[in-house]
Amino acid sequence: MQRPHNLQSLPASRSLWGFSSSKPAGQPAPEPESFAPTPSPERTSAASPPDVPISATATPDVFPDSIIPPSTLPYSDSLDTITTIAPLQFGDLAALGLAGWSPPGLSGWLLETINVSTGLPWFYTIIAGTVFARLLLLPFSIKQMQNSARLAPYQPRLLALKEEVNRAYATRDKLAVQRAALQQRKVYEDAGVSMLPMLAMPFVQLPVTLGMFFGVKRLSLLPLEQLHWSGVGFMPDLTVADPYYILPIISAVAMNVQLTVSEYISTADRVTMAHMINAFRIVSVISIPLMGAFPTGLNLYVLTSILAMLAQTSLLRVAAVRRTFGIPVLPKTNTKAVTFQESISHLKKYFREQSEIAQKRAAEKKW
């Protein structure tokens, strides 16, 4: 039997062992013969590399020259992951249920529009969306400050009417309540302020602020795959919590600075405002562990929002800016700061008065 020259020249009817896969009729199968494969004529030229044993490397017949083994390619986890995450497109968040006509849905649509239209990384997308939302609320903030400035000369009268209303409610004197309400409306008319828009102004800003908060929270907790790559090296993944509480601590510090600036810019009842600011200072410190459990993207929104409010408040303290928007310039006051002990005493007094009112009402019902 003629021996084959090499493995590549084996006929199709033969197996890899070198003998026929079909037996001739009436003849036993021949015993396999041992042989050593001889090199083909075309591989014996001087330009060809020497033969390498099959066990050492794959022959060109098994792995063509155009295929490079994967182990020889450069490998990078970051690059491989980035190439597998497609950029966000218009309508992707709506398909995921993260965009719609609710306040969080509108916030998601805003962030999607910024990210897709500008190509900004998500770190800067959240910052840009937060600043844009604060700019939308700027006219309402200016209007609220204008109304507060107009009511500032009438604050003693408004405080007296407020106490009169509380006494009327305590005694259930409906006529006194209506009389005090009419007098309060007259004060607003004298100041040139519409009472209903003045009271509704905070509720207009609330949906935008909470909508952005819960919108960013939903994107971070889903999590949206694109948020795994923020675009900055010091904060690569916006879907994980900050293990060092850096952003929550900075947010608490910025919040206290913002509260200090707001205390001096307010033209309303400064004592009541000071008690509220002290309460917010305590809340800002207590909330550090809570905010530390949130994703980094949400903490980035909170910090950006606080810094934007701080910049806005500081700008509206400038006399030239206040005159431009028709806001009276802040008078110089020497009001003594309210301590935390005074705020605690004020809170205890409030609860004690409310308890006495409740007891009086309970006694009236018995009789």
Side-chain angles (χ1 to χ4, degrees), residues 202-213:
F203 299 97
V204 175
Q205 304 181 47
L206 195 60
V208 178
T209 304
L210 293 181
M212 284 295 299
F213 179 87

Side-chain angles (χ1 to χ4, degrees), residues 7-227:
L7 294 177
Q8 185 179 9
S9 60
L10 288 175
S13 61
R14 292 184 177 270
S15 67
L16 292 178
W17 296 104
F19 55 87
S20 174
S21 60
S22 60
K23 295 184 288 185
Q27 296 182 3
E31 294 293 330
E33 302 177 12
S34 60
F35 60 91
T38 57
S40 59
E42 44 280 4
R43 295 186 180 271
T44 57
S45 60
S48 301
D51 289 339
V52 181
I54 295 177
S55 60
T57 184
T59 62
D61 303 316
V62 180
F63 291 103
D65 295 338
S66 59
I67 300 180
I68 303 176
S71 59
T72 62
L73 294 175
Y75 180 80
S76 173
D77 291 338
S78 301
L79 293 178
D80 287 349
T81 307
I82 290 175
T83 55
T84 57
I85 299 179
L88 202 67
Q89 302 296 327
F90 286 113
D92 286 351
L93 294 187
L96 294 173
L98 300 175
W101 293 105
S102 63
L106 291 174
S107 301
W109 176 81
L110 172 64
L111 294 174
E112 180 187 67
T113 303
I114 295 175
N115 180 261
V116 175
S117 60
T118 63
L120 286 173
W122 272 100
F123 180 88
Y124 300 105
T125 298
I126 293 177
I127 294 177
T130 306
V131 173
F132 183 81
R134 295 306 310 175
L135 290 176
L136 289 178
L137 296 177
L138 182 59
F140 298 98
S141 300
I142 293 175
K143 186 64 177 178
Q144 188 174 9
M145 293 184 65
Q146 291 173 345
N147 293 335
S148 298
R150 292 171 184 172
L151 288 172
Y154 301 90
Q155 282 300 323
R157 177 59 179 158
L158 290 174
L159 291 176
L161 289 174
K162 182 180 179 181
E163 295 178 358
E164 185 177 343
V165 170
N166 291 335
R167 289 193 299 268
Y169 275 118
T171 59
R172 294 189 176 183
D173 189 350
K174 296 183 179 179
L175 184 61
V177 172
Q178 293 177 358
R179 182 171 57 252
L182 291 175
Q183 293 177 359
Q184 189 178 22
R185 182 176 298 177
K186 181 66 168 57
V187 172
Y188 274 81
E189 291 177 355
D190 293 341
V193 176
S194 181
M195 189 172 182
L196 183 59
M198 177 70 177
L199 297 177
M201 198 66 66
F203 299 97
V204 175
Q205 304 181 47
L206 195 60
V208 178
T209 304
L210 293 181
M212 284 295 299
F213 179 87
F214 288 106
V216 177
K217 182 180 179 181
R218 294 199 311 181
L219 293 179
S220 303
L221 292 179
L222 180 65
L224 187 66
E225 289 297 327
Q226 285 77 7
L227 264 66

